[in-house]
Amino acid sequence: MPVAKPESCDSRVIAHIDMDCFYVQVEQRKQPQLRGLPTAVVQYNEWKGGALIAVSYEARKFGVKRSMRGEEAKEVCPQIHLVQVPVARGKADLNGYRNAGSEVVSILARRGRCERASIDEVYLDLTDAAETMLAEAPPQHLEAIDEEALKSHILGLNNEDGSDVKENVRNWIHRCNADHRDKLLACGILIVAELRMQVLKETEFTCSAGIAHNKMLAKLASGMNKPAQQTVVPFSSVQGLLNSLPIRKMKQLGGKLGMSLQIDMGVNTVGDLLQFSEEKLQERYGLNTGTWLWNIARGINGEAVEGRLLPKSHGSGKTFPGPRALKTVSAVQHWLNQLCEELSERLCSDLDQNKRIAHTLTLHVRAYKSSDSDSQKKFPSKSCPLRYGTAKIQEDAFNLFQAGLREYIGLYGGKSEGSHYSGWGITSLSVSASKIVPIPSGTCSIAKYFHWQTSSHFSSIQSPENLRMDATHLSPPGNESYSEVNLPEPKIDFSGEESWIEDTIPGLGLQEQKINVWKDEFQSRGHSLAELNEVEVAEENERSSCSYIRDQDERRREAWSYNIDEIDPSVIDELPTEIQDEIQAWLQPRKRPNNIVKRGSTISHYFSPTKKS
DNA sequence: ACGGCTCAGACC
DNA sequence: TGGTCTGAG
């Protein structure tokens, strides 16, 4: 739900930069022969030609649209070039696009506060740059205005018949009788034009931009003239723009809220909102949203541009629609392992490149239960402290899954069905890492950071009883050990930076106490805690997370050495052939299912929290 | 129960 | 808090 924020400054200059069909541009840079041709990026080519996720403007002229199938696109535009999104570990790999987005951000951040809004969009606060320009080199005194700036669209600037459009723009920029706010926007035009040219020069990507006094209007404007153009919203044209703007075009109003405004309140355009008092809107939609709506009807939007160049979370997910739904814990575990591998890799890059550490691991699952009435019951999301290292992330994610599954199955586990699967299917899995904080470089935030470390470094302890093929075998609620996933972590109270770490702390595991002793030792030798954290993380990282080759081997061994032995072969025979094949592949070169002998004693070794490597 | 895969933010 | 929901591209 949107929330109202007071306007911080009477007249800001905000730009919204939107890359044009970004994924297509990234692919065209890789394959320059595709430039200028109708092109689309598709994922999962095997079914009906895959789904389009980005479409070039040349292809759009033929009526090709996003969310079309590759085959449909070929029908309306036979000459279209379809490029597949890269696949890694059986899923779409968007890293190339993420990295390309970062290239752009690093250029755009040069002139002012920059907020990465998505993989291909950023907001810029150019107020300072514009004020500076106005003071030192105001546009009025510039005889030559850049050609790119002259191509800007200025909302509300009426082009009289026969008049030269560029000349009108030049005049608008040069106007010296304009009020301060428009003069600032004029500076914004020049700055953004320059930035866009810089992006093109350094990355070969084109983008479109909106320039206005707040984020909402800038965002609105950037989409009005694409591709490779920029649009300005002078203060005087705001109300005219909003009055006729369909309510759903407004950011945040494209969903249920916008629909409710339309259906319940008869609001069809943003201007229609003006007839309602702030109180009325608050009464219907709550204080925050009500005020927010009242403001946007008037073109007021105080949201600040956050100075943030990096994402706040990383996620890796995959859907398993319809018949492809996962029906065994083993299949789930296989895919969780893939997703966690990707996540771990990205966390590693983030650590290397940005010196940041994530502290929370979350698992999201979508599932259906065919059995009974509560089939629409949601599979609960679960989270736990994030431990670095691919194998650890995989282990923790799997534990989260089991905890969720037990809740999901609830009391209707259908115990009578024996080893048969009990009627659930997983249609979507995703793991994400959040609470990402920079490794402190100075001493100021050590205490806080250290608190994080101690509460996240060691977490769930698993027992072998949890690792079963079938959910019907899950132990009954109450005495199962994976509830420990959600147990509160022991925390150390730091009263300040000089806080001392005790040698022995009640409630801490042996391992944690050992570490704390080690930390003391380290500190007593004159090192700062910040240094220690870096060392610790670096070591952990080097050992298990970033050495992919060795790690992979190790992980396979680990992941499968405990529960293959527990698979009932009769269960495998009843699975869909696709999954059977998968399992057969995993089992090799281990035993064939027929030869499986019950033998579960090595499990505790693999899940011991003291396990190293 | 095909629109996949990500992200952010608000609410309680 | 953690978990759910909404909304965006």
Side-chain angles (χ1 to χ4, degrees):
Chain A
M1 217 63 84
V3 71
K5 299 243 169 69
E7 192 82 43
S8 59
C9 164
D10 350 350
S11 190
R12 299 178 294 162
V13 176
I14 307 296
H16 178 257
I17 314 287
D18 193 345
M19 305 307 293
D20 305 315
C21 54
F22 190 46
Y23 291 8
V24 169
Q25 285 205 78
V26 172
E27 298 300 337
Q28 287 176 331
R29 186 172 71 170
K30 281 200 288 199
Q31 302 181 62
Q33 71 275 17
L34 295 178
R35 284 190 187 283
L37 302 178
T39 306
V41 174
V42 303
Q43 73 184 3
Y44 296 141
N45 211 2
E46 62 275 2
W47 196 62
K48 296 199 174 182
L52 304 200
I53 54 175
V55 180
S56 78
Y57 285 85
E58 292 82 2
R60 292 186 201 192
K61 288 179 197 159
F62 291 86
V64 179
K65 291 195 201 139
R66 242 171 44 160
S67 90
M68 263 182 165
R69 294 277 155 199
E71 289 174 359
E72 300 175 62
K74 281 280 185 189
E75 284 171 22
V76 295
C77 179
Q79 69 273 48
I80 194 171
H81 293 79
L82 299 177
V83 183
Q84 289 187 59
V85 21
V87 172
R89 303 181 189 91
K91 66 180 290 296
D93 177 14
L94 306 181
N95 278 322
Y97 309 125
R98 285 191 191 96
N99 294 335
S102 299
E103 288 180 51
V104 175
V105 166
S106 70
I107 295 166
L108 293 176
R110 290 172 189 166
R111 298 296 294 271
R113 191 163 54 243
C114 176
E115 174 182 330
R116 197 196 117 129
S118 78
I119 199 168
D120 68 342
E121 283 177 290
V122 308
Y123 288 97
L124 299 177
D125 188 330
L126 299 172
T127 309
D128 291 347
E131 293 278 13
T132 304
M133 178 183 285
L134 204 51
E136 294 173 3
Q140 299 98 294
H141 303 333
L142 260 71
E143 62 283 355
I145 299 291
D146 188 89
E147 193 64 19
E148 190 58 43
L150 291 179
K151 288 193 278 187
S152 299
H153 301 260
I154 301 175
L155 294 184
L157 182 65
N158 30 331
N159 296 311
E160 301 111 33
D161 302 339
S163 67
D164 180 1
V165 179
K166 281 187 186 173
E167 200 52 36
N168 285 341
V169 172
R170 187 195 308 276
N171 289 337
W172 192 88
I173 294 174
H174 273 148
R175 241 171 9 140
C176 47
N177 62 337
D179 78 5
H180 186 65
R181 294 173 301 196
D182 277 1
K183 285 182 180 173
L184 281 178
L185 286 185
C187 294
I189 290 179
L190 301 182
I191 295 167
V192 171
E194 197 182 319
L195 281 171
R196 290 178 44 241
M197 288 190 299
Q198 205 64 33
V199 168
L200 181 59
K201 185 179 160 199
E202 294 184 33
T203 68
E204 304 176 33
F205 298 141
T206 68
C207 57
S208 300
I211 302 143
H213 291 307
N214 60 50
K215 287 170 88 171
M216 166 193 92
L217 294 170
K219 163 82 181 164
L220 209 52
S222 71
M224 299 184 71
N225 296 283
K226 284 176 130 286
Q229 296 165 76
Q230 59 185 53
T231 306
V232 190
V233 188
F235 186 78
S236 57
S237 60
V238 170
Q239 209 59 58
L241 168 65
L242 296 181
N243 282 342
S244 58
L245 188 76
I247 195 81
R248 65 174 182 284
K249 299 293 182 189
M250 198 84 242
K251 189 175 151 99
Q252 301 291 328
L253 298 179
K256 294 183 180 180
L257 179 55
M259 192 55 72
S260 163
L261 282 165
Q262 221 170 330
I263 305 285
D264 305 334
M265 313 284 279
V267 171
N268 290 307
T269 70
V270 178
D272 292 344
L273 272 177
L274 287 170
Q275 32 179 0
F276 297 98
S277 68
E278 186 173 359
E279 292 73 25
K280 178 75 183 168
L281 293 171
Q282 287 178 334
E283 179 192 320
R284 182 67 179 73
Y285 295 107
L287 291 180
N288 277 329
T289 305
T291 298
W292 181 83
L293 285 169
W294 191 86
N295 280 328
I296 64 145
R298 291 154 181 80
I300 299 168
N301 175 225
E303 277 173 77
V305 173
E306 307 288 339
R308 185 175 52 77
L309 308 183
L310 301 171
K312 290 181 168 181
S313 66
H314 298 290
S316 176
K318 181 169 175 60
T319 55
F320 308 93
R324 296 212 259 179
L326 309 181
K327 306 226 167 119
T328 67
V329 171
S330 291
V332 168
Q333 186 165 39
H334 167 76
W335 283 108
L336 272 183
N337 284 343
Q338 307 301 303
L339 298 175
C340 289
E341 219 176 86
E342 186 196 325
L343 182 62
S344 181
E345 196 171 281
R346 281 163 62 190
L347 288 173
C348 246
S349 310
D350 202 334
L351 180 58
D352 282 348
Q353 293 165 18
N354 310 312
K355 307 291 176 235
R356 302 194 304 167
I357 297 185
H359 286 94
T360 301
L361 176 69
T362 305
L363 174 72
H364 292 278
V365 178
R366 274 200 337 213
Y368 68 79
K369 230 186 314 187
S370 55
S371 49
D372 36 14
S373 52
D374 62 346
S375 61
Q376 64 261 52
K377 187 180 163 196
K378 298 270 200 287
F379 197 106
S381 298
K382 293 287 165 200
S383 52
C384 70
L386 191 152
R387 303 182 297 156
Y388 274 70
T390 304
K392 290 200 181 72
I393 294 173
Q394 290 169 330
E395 179 186 326
D396 292 342
F398 184 58
N399 291 333
L400 293 177
F401 173 77
Q402 291 190 117
L405 181 59
R406 194 182 56 71
E407 270 182 44
Y408 181 68
I409 301 269
L411 301 173
Y412 333 87
K415 300 235 182 273
S416 58
E417 296 175 58
S419 61
H420 292 67
Y421 101 94
S422 54
W424 48 266
I426 302 303
T427 56
S428 159
L429 283 176
S430 94
V431 289
S432 56
S434 59
K435 292 187 182 157
I436 306 180
V437 300
I439 298 174
S441 47
T443 55
C444 52
S445 58
I446 291 176
K448 247 168 89 179
Y449 177 65
F450 211 83
H451 187 273
W452 271 117
Q453 272 303 103
T454 54
S455 64
S456 68
H457 211 80
F458 301 93
S459 62
S460 51
I461 298 166
Q462 292 299 304
S463 87
E465 276 71 38
N466 304 325
L467 306 167
R468 298 290 176 161
M469 180 68 181
D470 193 305
T472 59
H473 289 159
L474 289 175
S475 38
N479 67 347
E480 72 289 299
S481 53
Y482 44 75
S483 63
E484 286 172 28
V485 169
N486 286 330
L487 239 52
E489 292 290 320
K491 289 203 169 35
I492 304 169
D493 179 49
F494 287 90
S495 48
E497 291 181 15
E498 305 300 323
S499 291
W500 200 250
I501 304 166
E502 313 240 85
D503 276 339
T504 53
I505 297 156
L508 284 189
L510 186 61
Q511 189 69 21
E512 281 165 294
Q513 292 191 19
K514 240 166 74 186
I515 289 293
N516 283 334
V517 170
W518 183 44
K519 282 171 180 168
D520 269 332
E521 174 73 14
F522 196 83
Q523 214 176 9
S524 70
R525 290 184 196 175
H527 293 89
S528 75
L529 292 180
E531 280 177 83
L532 170 56
N533 291 330
E534 300 220 31
V535 170
E536 217 176 294
V537 167
E539 187 249 353
E540 169 103 356
N541 203 44
E542 196 271 330
R543 171 163 46 77
S544 57
S545 186
C546 283
S547 325
Y548 298 120
I549 313 259
R550 182 166 56 79
D551 194 41
Q552 275 195 352
D553 253 27
E554 173 188 303
R555 185 185 39 73
R556 283 210 189 86
R557 229 179 32 241
E558 252 179 56
W560 294 107
S561 43
Y562 54 84
N563 70 348
I564 285 176
D565 299 343
E566 301 193 358
I567 296 175
D568 176 350
S570 70
V571 169
I572 296 182
D573 292 340
E574 292 170 28
L575 299 172
T577 54
E578 179 198 347
I579 294 181
Q580 281 189 37
D581 293 345
E582 243 176 320
I583 292 180
Q584 296 298 342
W586 298 339
L587 291 175
Q588 282 160 14
R590 301 180 55 88
K591 304 188 199 68
R592 311 294 305 171
N594 292 358
N595 302 336
I596 281 180
V597 180
K598 183 94 177 164
R599 180 176 58 81
S601 58
T602 57
I603 303 171
S604 57
H605 165 69
Y606 287 104
F607 284 93
S608 154
T610 59
K611 162 178 61 82
K612 296 285 175 191
S613 89

